Amino acid sequence: MALADGDTSCSSWDSDDEYQKFIHKMNPPRVLIDNSSCANATVVHVDSANKYGILLEVVQVLTELKLIVKKAYISSDGGWFMDVFNVTNQNGQKILDDLVLDEIVNYIRKCLGFGSCLLPSRRRSLGVESSSDYTLIELTGTDRPGLLSEVSAVLTNLECNVVNAEVWTHNKRAAAVMQVTDMKMGLAISDTERLGRIKERLCYVFKGSNRSRDAKTTVTMGKTQTERRLHQMMLEDRDYERYDKDRTNVNPRPMVSVVNWLDKDYSVVTIRCKDRPKLLFDTVCTLTDMQYVVFHGSVDSEGPEAYQEYYIRHIDGSPVNSEAERQRVIQCLEAAIERRVSEGLKLELSTGDRVGLLSDVTRIFRENGLMVTRAEVSTKGDKAVNTFYVRDAAGRSVVELKTLEAIRQEIGQTVLQVKGHPEHLKSPPQESPSRFLFSSLFRPRSLYSLGLIGS
C-alpha cells in the first residue's frame, strides 16, 4: 500500500473542534467481525472518522475486552481511520461464540461513538472524572523497600480504606493510583481540611530521604483509567531518564529504533522485544502522550517476539526533528515496555475484605524482607483480590521457601498462592545438601503440599 500524505495541522487533531465533532457524529464507527479469513484468530475491522487519539481509544477498548492482539494493520491518513486487528481470547483461541462477538461489536461501537470520552482532549486536564464513590489518590516519587507498606499504614492511620489500587515501579521511581473511602462511612472523602492532611502525609512518605527529586501527590474526588494514568504519571516523572548501569537490570532489553523517511516526512519507529500482554497498549499510549500521531503501522506478535512498526509525525506535522528528541522517543518507549516487566515472585492473595488489610499484608512482607515491585489491589463485593510481585531485600528475584512459609503462617487464614515460575523459589541451604535434594524441592507436589500453589 502506498503511503500518502495526510493533513497534520494541529487544529485537525483537536477533538474540541466543532467541525470534527460534526464529522464524527455523521460518520459513526463501523465494526465488522471476520472469522473466515484467518485460521487462528478473529479479525476485527474498525472504520471511523479520524480524530486525535483514535488509535489509542481502539487499542484501549480491545485491552478492556481482554483480547490478545496477534497482528494489526493501521492506516489513518486524511480524514478516515481504518484498522484491522487479528485477536484471540486469553487462551489464544478464536472467538466463536456469537453472543460474545455481538458484545464485542456493541462495546466497541459504544466506546468509540459520538460523545465518548475514553481519551481526554489536549485542552482538558488528563485523567480524572468526578465520582462520589471514592477519593482518587495519585502518587509519584522515589522507590524504596517498604514504600507500599508505609503508604498503606498512613492511610489506615488516617481512617482511609483502600478499595482499589495499582502500583508500578521502574528505574528507582514509583507511581500509584489508589481509590480510597472513609473507613466509617464507606464513601468518598469530601472534607477539604482532611484531604489536605492526607495529601501532606502521603507526600512526606513518598519523598522519603531523597531531596534531589520531588514527590508529587494529588487527591481528588474522581475516577480514571488506571493503567492509562500510570503511564502518564511515570512519563511526567521522567522515569525514562537513567544511567547506563541501570540498564543491566533489564534482560533482554527491548530494541527500539527511530529513523526519518524524509521523502514522506515520516519518522519510522521500529520495536522488537519479547511479547507480553498489553504491549501494544503500552507503546501506543506512550506515543500518544508524547503527542505523536500514528499514520500507518503494523504489529506482529504471533511468535515469542513482538514486532511493531509505526509511521509517525508530531501533532504539529513534523517528524522527529532532532537527535535529542530521537533519543527521548527511544528512551520513553523502552521505559513503557519495561514498566510491566516485574522480575520476581508473583503472589496472589484472596480473602475476605476488611479495613487495614493492605497495611497488614504489606507490613508482613516488609518484616520478612520482601519488597513489592508491582501491585494490583481490588475489591469485589466483600472479597479482596490482591496481586503482588516481590523480590528479596537485596533486589534479587528469587525468594526463599522458608520466607513464604513464615509469611503464610503470620497471615493466618488468608489464602496465599504462588503464581508464575517455581524457579523464583529457593530452599534454605540446610535443606539442600546436594543438587539432587535442592532440585527436588521444586517438584510441583512439594509446593502443592505446602499450599503455596493452587490447583
Side-chain angles (χ1 to χ4, degrees), residues 150-161:
E150 293 179 32
V151 170
S152 303
V154 166
L155 289 172
T156 300
N157 181 259
L158 292 170
E159 299 186 337
C160 299
N161 184 40

Side-chain angles (χ1 to χ4, degrees), residues 10-73:
C10 187
S11 61
S12 68
W13 297 110
D14 194 333
S15 56
D16 288 334
D17 186 88
E18 292 301 322
Y19 177 72
Q20 293 297 320
K21 288 184 177 181
F22 172 75
I23 294 297
H24 193 67
K25 185 175 182 179
M26 296 302 294
N27 297 275
R30 182 178 63 173
V31 183
L32 299 176
I33 300 292
D34 176 8
N35 253 333
S36 60
S37 61
C38 182
N40 55 7
T42 297
V43 181
V44 180
H45 297 260
V46 181
D47 298 342
S48 173
N50 203 6
K51 65 175 182 176
Y52 177 73
I54 181 67
L55 176 60
L56 178 55
E57 289 191 15
V58 174
V59 173
Q60 182 174 314
V61 170
L62 295 176
T63 302
E64 292 174 353
L65 288 168
K66 301 186 184 301
L67 299 175
I68 305 298
V69 178
K70 293 297 184 180
K71 284 189 176 183
Y73 306 93

Side-chain angles (χ1 to χ4, degrees), residues 96-264:
L96 300 175
D97 189 314
D98 289 337
L99 291 177
V100 175
L101 292 173
D102 288 341
E103 290 176 359
I104 291 173
V105 171
N106 293 334
Y107 187 73
I108 295 175
R109 286 174 176 167
K110 175 184 176 182
C111 292
L112 300 183
F114 178 73
S116 67
C117 55
L118 278 177
L119 180 75
S121 79
R122 291 182 290 107
R123 288 183 179 175
R124 290 193 291 269
S125 60
L126 297 176
V128 178
E129 295 177 33
S130 61
S131 172
S132 59
D133 297 330
Y134 51 77
T135 300
L136 183 70
I137 298 175
E138 297 179 350
L139 304 162
T140 53
T142 303
D143 186 30
R144 66 179 186 276
L147 178 60
L148 181 57
S149 173
E150 293 179 32
V151 170
S152 303
V154 166
L155 289 172
T156 300
N157 181 259
L158 292 170
E159 299 186 337
C160 299
N161 184 40
V162 179
V163 180
N164 297 291
E166 191 155 349
V167 181
W168 288 1
T169 64
H170 176 250
N171 188 28
K172 301 176 184 176
R173 304 298 294 171
V177 174
M178 314 181 86
Q179 299 170 1
V180 304
T181 59
D182 177 78
M183 189 179 294
K184 297 177 182 178
M185 302 299 294
L187 299 173
I189 301 166
S190 57
D191 181 79
T192 305
E193 184 177 343
R194 184 179 175 189
L195 291 174
R197 289 197 303 271
I198 294 171
K199 180 177 180 179
E200 182 181 3
R201 291 278 300 275
L202 289 176
C203 190
Y204 179 80
V205 169
F206 239 71
K207 190 173 183 65
S209 60
N210 189 337
R211 305 302 175 189
S212 61
R213 294 185 68 174
D214 291 337
K216 185 176 179 181
T217 306
T218 303
V219 181
T220 62
M221 290 178 60
K223 59 183 179 179
T224 188
Q225 207 283 339
T226 302
E227 294 175 329
R228 173 87 174 90
R229 187 66 187 124
L230 282 167
H231 274 303
Q232 292 172 335
M233 292 163 60
M234 298 205 85
L235 181 66
E236 293 167 2
D237 192 52
R238 306 191 312 278
D239 73 315
Y240 54 87
E241 296 179 349
R242 58 187 176 188
Y243 299 106
D244 288 340
K245 63 181 181 180
D246 296 323
R247 295 176 179 268
T248 59
N249 294 327
V250 181
N251 186 31
R253 281 180 51 200
M255 298 176 60
V256 182
S257 68
V258 179
V259 297
N260 283 346
W261 185 9
L262 298 179
D263 289 346
K264 294 292 183 179

Side-chain angles (χ1 to χ4, degrees), residues 207 291 374-375 379 402:
K207 190 173 183 65
Q291 296 190 324
R374 186 153 65 94
T379 304
K402 67 176 183 180

